[in-house]
Structures are given as C-alpha cells and as structure tokens.
Amino acid sequence: MNLFGHDRAGLRDVLDGMGEKPFRADQIMQWIYRHGVADFEAMTNISRPLRARLAEHCTVDAPEVLAHQESTDGTRKWVLRVGETADGQAVETVFIPEGQRGSERYRGTLCISSQVGCAMDCSFCSTGKQGLSRNLTAAEIVAQLWFAAHALGGSGDLHNQRAITNVVFMGMGEPLANYQAVLTAIRIFLDDFGFGLSKRRVTVSTSGLVPFMDRLRSDCDTALAVSLHAPDDALRDELVPINRKYPLDELMAACRRYTTERGHKAHIVYEYVMLDGVNDTDAHARALGRLLGDLPAKVNLIPFNPFPGAPYQRSPAARVDAFAEQLRRRRIITTVRRTRGDDIDAACGQLVGRVTSRQKNRLGGVPVVSA
Ligand code: SAH
Ligand code: SF4
C-alpha cells in the first residue's frame, strides 16, 4: 500500500486497522511531507515494532525518473514513470521558478498531471490528441509534488525556504474527470501535516466539467482556472468539444456560483489560447468581455504552443496585445502568459509523456526526451 495515496483521514483509518492511535498518522505525514522521508526506519519518534510493521505493509513509492530536462530560463521538466508496472505509462511534471528563491517576490510553480493523456479532445492540445490512457491514482498525483519538492529542495525541511510555493493542475489531463483522486491529492497538498499549501496557491484548471465544479466548491474550495478559449458556443464547440455537453450558459452559471457563493471575493482565471485568425479578433475580445460581464474575472491569454501536425498558428504578439487592450478597456484584468521552457517543450499543451529517445544527454546522464 503506497502511503502517498492516503490523506490524513485515510491514513488514520489505515493505522486504526493496525490497532494504532490516530496521532501516528500525523507523525507519519510529517515525516513524509515535511521532512521528505520515505524510509520508515528513519522515522525516529515511531516505535521500532511499528516501523517494522509499516515497512512490511506499506511503501512510500517515489516515482522513477525517465527523463529530466532543464531550460536556460530555469524551467525544469521531468518525465516520470507512474504505476508499479513497467507498462511504459509516463507523465510530465514541470517546475517554473520566478524571482529569487527566498525573496518575497519568489514564486515556484509546479505544474502537475492528473491523467495519462486526456479524453476531452480539445483541437489545439497535444495531450488531447493522444486520447486518454488512464486516470492517475491519488498516490501518483501526490508523488509528483513529493518528488519535485525533494529534487529541488535538497535535504532537510521541505517547508522551509520551499522551492515550490504554488501547484497548478495544468499538466496532462482534465483534473475534474479524475475527481476523487484529485480531491485526495489536494487534501494532502493543503494539510498542515502534508505540504501545508494555502488554498489560493493550489489551482485546478478545467475545460468546464460543470457538475464537478460545483462539487469542488463545496469539497475544498481551491483556486479555479477555466479554459474558455472562445466567447460563443459555435466556436467553443469546435475548440473544446466538452462544450457540447456543458454549453457556455451552464458553464458561466457554474462560474458565478463558484465565485459568489464562496463567502469571500474570489476570482476565476479564464484561460484563453490565442489562435491566429480563429478566436483572436477584436470582435472576439468584445464578445468575451460581454460574456464575462460583471463576474469577478481575470483573463490569462496564452500564446498558442504549436506541436507537430497542429492545425493552428500562434497569434502575432501585436494581435495578443490589441486583444488584451480591448479587455482592459472593459476593466477586466488581463495578463499574457510568458512562454517558459520553450527550448524543452515544457509549455502548456505540449506535454506528451513519451520518452522516444534514450540517448544520454549532457545534463545528468538521463535520457533525452524528443517531442
Ligand atoms: N485539462 C485542463 C488542464 C490542463 S491543460 C484544462 O484544459 O484546463 C492546461 C492549459 O493549457 C489549458 O488552459 C489548456 O487549454 C492549455 N493548452 C492546451 N494546449 C495548448 C497549446 N497547444 N497551447 C497553449 N495552451 C494550451
Ligand atoms: Fe484535455 Fe485540457 Fe488538453 Fe483539453 S486542453 S484536451 S481538457 S488537457
């Protein structure tokens, strides 16, 4: 049994089943997530006999690294083998640092995957083009953060001067299509005995699975990003096919519920990929402004990241600026995502989780990923 898959309540149940007191779960979680310890023998405030029984029945399974790349801008990407079998299933996890570590302005964002592939089939997304292989387990989702915190943080207290301050579910997969596992993982991310992240520093990004947006609001209330990409149903049906099931009026109503029923002023970030000549005209910007209306909203424009065989081009920078200007005129806070990790194909929608080449590279003797 891999302990990465158990939130505090789950771990207490496991220990209860072993005839142990609930506070043992708190201690074990602190060892795993605060101190980064995977070896039960090193958990010194736990009795020897219990350590031995834990070692017999449980594991803390760090993922195997299939490949690692570091960009000139500090972005790092790992291809991690998930699961216990060598079935070739791999996911990608990307780390994006901004500012100087330790400084107030520092932000270290880990972009994690929730599925191997994705069933949503968005027309501009290379993960979508692979289809869905399978859901990740909660343990496989948590292991990505544990592994990255470990790889970046060195030894010692993972909470102290932490490298990872924010987690976004913007890697491979649609997180709300793997709801239970994602929820368990988020509970571990937020738990003080787990990673101790604050709610507003964990962002779930969704293509718009309306019923699960409502569940998320009542279950754990993290930050939400909605992948909008089009201001009308005809275009959104084409770009984000799940729109045929949950069209814009239903999606925007769910967004309103998410922001207004949370008891505090919360923004949703609306993601909008800029596709040349497809969704990027001033008329689209005005329609988007009308759609968002008085909702507390931020818009994040994402320059399209091309991949082989993609049917779109990236909008020119001047067009992105003009589009942003239209929104700002309507007092909508609009940012343009800087592309990071371009040289290692670590950008949104480019994650494919496949190791296609196993030559050694110069970085650290790990295999090179070629997209
Ligand atoms: N499935 C979720 C989260 C993963 S995708 C979702 O769709 O929201 C994370 C973000 O990357 C989404 O906003 C998605 O629309 C965007 N994206 C996908 N492919 C892209 C591409 N080729 N270029 C730019 N952004 C892309
Ligand atoms: Fe899936 Fe998100 Fe890609 Fe759409 S954009 S196919 S929902 S990963």
Side-chain angles (χ1 to χ4, degrees), residues 2-7 33 114 135-144 178 180-186 188-189:
N2 187 354
L3 295 189
F4 280 143
H6 296 274
D7 59 15
Y33 301 110
S114 56
N135 280 331
L136 294 185
T137 63
E140 290 164 346
I141 297 170
V142 171
Q144 294 172 60
N178 184 16
Q180 273 311 329
V182 165
L183 183 62
T184 300
I186 292 173
I188 296 170
F189 296 168

Side-chain angles (χ1 to χ4, degrees), residues 7 21 50 53 60 65 70 82 112 119-120 125 199 213 226 251 291 301 347 349 355 359 370:
D7 59 15
K21 296 249 162 55
L50 178 55
R53 285 169 68 213
V60 179
V65 184
E70 184 159 359
V82 295
I112 60 175
M120 298 298 137
C125 173
K199 278 179 186 176
M213 290 166 66
V226 171
L251 176 60
L291 181 72
L301 302 177
V355 180
Q359 318 102 295
S370 52

Side-chain angles (χ1 to χ4, degrees), residues 118 120 122 124-127 169-175 205-208 225-229 271-275 302-307 337 348-350:
C118 182
M120 298 298 137
C122 300
F124 52 84
C125 173
S126 91
T127 305
F169 280 89
M170 293 187 189
M172 299 167 69
E174 166 51 56
S205 175
T206 183
S207 55
V226 171
S227 294
L228 208 47
H229 309 313
E271 294 158 283
Y272 197 99
V273 62
M274 296 297 285
L275 307 170
I302 317 174
F304 171 63
N305 291 306
F307 52 91
R337 187 172 297 171
C348 288
Q350 290 185 330

Side-chain angles (χ1 to χ4, degrees), residues 17 44 93 133 156 158 221 288 331-332 340 351:
T44 45
T93 301
S133 299
L158 295 184
D221 188 30
L288 177 60
R331 297 184 187 284
I332 296 172
R340 296 287 304 265
L351 306 186

Side-chain angles (χ1 to χ4, degrees), residues 18 105 254 259 261 269:
M18 295 168 80
R105 286 251 196 79
T259 48
E261 290 174 19
V269 173

